[in-house]
Amino acid sequence: MRAAPTILHLDMDAFFAAAEQAAKPSLRGKPVVVGGLGPRGVVATASYEARVFGVHSAMSTAQARRLCPNAAYLTPRFSLYRQLSEAVMELLRELSPLVEPLSLDEAFVDLEAGGVAPTADAVRAVGERLRADIRAATSLTGSVGLAASKMLAKMASEQAKPDGLVLIEPGTERQLLAPMPVRALPGVGPATAAHLRRSGIGTVAELEQAGEEELVRLLGKAHGAALAAMAAGRDDRAVVAERDAKSVSVEDTFDVDLHDRVRVYTEVARLAERCVERLRGAGRSGRTVVLKVRRYDFSTLTRSETLRGPTDDPAVVREAAARLLDGVDTTGGVRLLGVGVSGLASFTQEDLFAQAATERAAAEAEGAGPPAESPRSGEPGPAEAAGADAPDRTAGPADPEQPGDTPRRWFPGHDVHHAEHGPGWVQGSGLGRVTVRFERPGSPPGRVLTFAVDDPELRPADPLPLVPAAEGRPSGPPDPPSAGPERSGAADETVPPVRPPGTPGERPGPPGRPSGAQEPPCAARDQPSDPAIRPKPSSPGASSEASPGVAASSP
């Protein structure tokens, strides 16, 4: 354990939902849920306004809709989240060379390695400046925990939520931990907590009193010894800056079980293409191809094949995944498919035999013609998730839809651009129509218009930056010893060109409301004048009462 609270834990507040609220002025202060919107969708993030109604991450979207039917339900925009995450991680890397990202919105930082003075005042100044810089660069908020260990720093950031800072003074760990439930410790899930509760252990104080020997008897040597140390406030884990990825994978859960064998092969080929895109994006190759199949009865099968050498060839990965699928019975239906690559390397070794087999199969599919061209590169959009059935599973995903085939699909929350009305986002679509709200970050809530789904004026667009590039960091506390150079906000992005203008339609009435569109506000709350704006629920508390040895601050 360290003698100073020089480990910082940053956790962005309701990251995905907060990013959507910042990008969409009409949703600020309203309940927002980001996740899968299908019948088997799962909540990725819920805004604090939605959490008031009991909605939380990992909950099924169907249950979330029952708890908070008037929230805005949006599909994720990971391109935006990655941009914001990189901006935040760059700020953290200015503080110290030792930054350990845990996810897009969470990371540990070793301030001691960055040269910060090992005093409470110095690390607090770093934490406050970091929060101000994050707000300036992204317009979002993050909670900061400072302690002498990773475990306590994470607990401190949880206490600081939302948008606060908590510092745990060294020497007060046991007093702080003693009244907490055992579930507060990392590695204690529902099953372990229930097992301990049957033995009369419910709090961290009781866990410490039980002693290491008893915990080893109850939970095993590794788990028991680790919990005994954490109950005493000991956590010697170091901040690790680099973690090599062990595998790259993608998977999809389908709204309806797949029964058509040809469709299953088509989906596997599509997933293989996406997996290789991620693999190449990371500058890696892999030797082992893994197929994951979850059947109608929730039984999950995993099959793998090791190639002669590492590869990043989509044809090789696609063919290997298809061979693995040959040995899996999908008669009853498939609810989830996944393709992954492990055994990663930084070089490739071309498998000429596999390439020859692929070209020969493609040539046979074309008859006497030349070998078929490889499928398009790039990750397929959501509209291609259904995939057209292809008679030859070796030919890869179906061709892109041609004009006049099927209408374009528009997903709630995604960015669009209209030739006449400018940038906006999809509120909902269905019945051959798409409803769009035209607004941008920093603007007042915009107006809502409805168009035909195939309107040539309307095109998908890239996310707009949340903060103009000209804006810099705010004037705040003086830089601590380890603070890096000043950094400007996110860079501007250009909007792609649009097609010739047309005539917009009108917004449909309630009887024909498109699926995914925002619903009218709750009658139990004050109704705003704009029917598309929902009521603002009571805001949850920003932070709890300070515990002994814990210093809290908020904006």
Side-chain angles (χ1 to χ4, degrees), residues 186-212:
V188 180
T192 301
H195 188 46
L196 293 172
R197 188 167 54 250
R198 288 192 293 269
S199 301
I201 300 174
T203 66
V204 176
E206 294 169 345
L207 194 67
E208 185 180 11
Q209 292 170 3
E212 182 175 343

Side-chain angles (χ1 to χ4, degrees), residues 213-294:
E213 184 177 348
E214 176 66 11
L215 294 177
V216 168
R217 186 186 68 81
L218 291 173
L219 304 173
K221 184 175 181 180
H223 200 188
L227 284 185
M230 287 190 290
R234 299 193 307 272
D235 180 16
D236 298 325
R237 293 176 299 162
V239 176
V240 181
E242 296 292 338
R243 287 188 175 184
D244 285 337
K246 297 182 178 180
S247 64
V248 174
S249 63
V250 294
E251 61 182 40
D252 275 347
T253 300
F254 305 101
D255 292 343
V256 179
D257 290 349
L258 303 184
H259 295 272
D260 185 352
R261 185 75 173 180
V262 175
R263 170 74 184 282
V264 174
Y265 276 111
T266 302
E267 293 295 335
V268 168
R270 184 179 61 86
L271 290 169
E273 293 282 338
R274 290 172 52 191
C275 182
V276 171
E277 282 292 320
R278 285 193 180 183
L279 195 66
R280 289 180 170 179
R284 308 297 295 273
S285 60
R287 188 179 181 187
T288 302
V289 179
V290 181
L291 175 70
K292 178 180 178 181
V293 180
R294 180 167 296 157

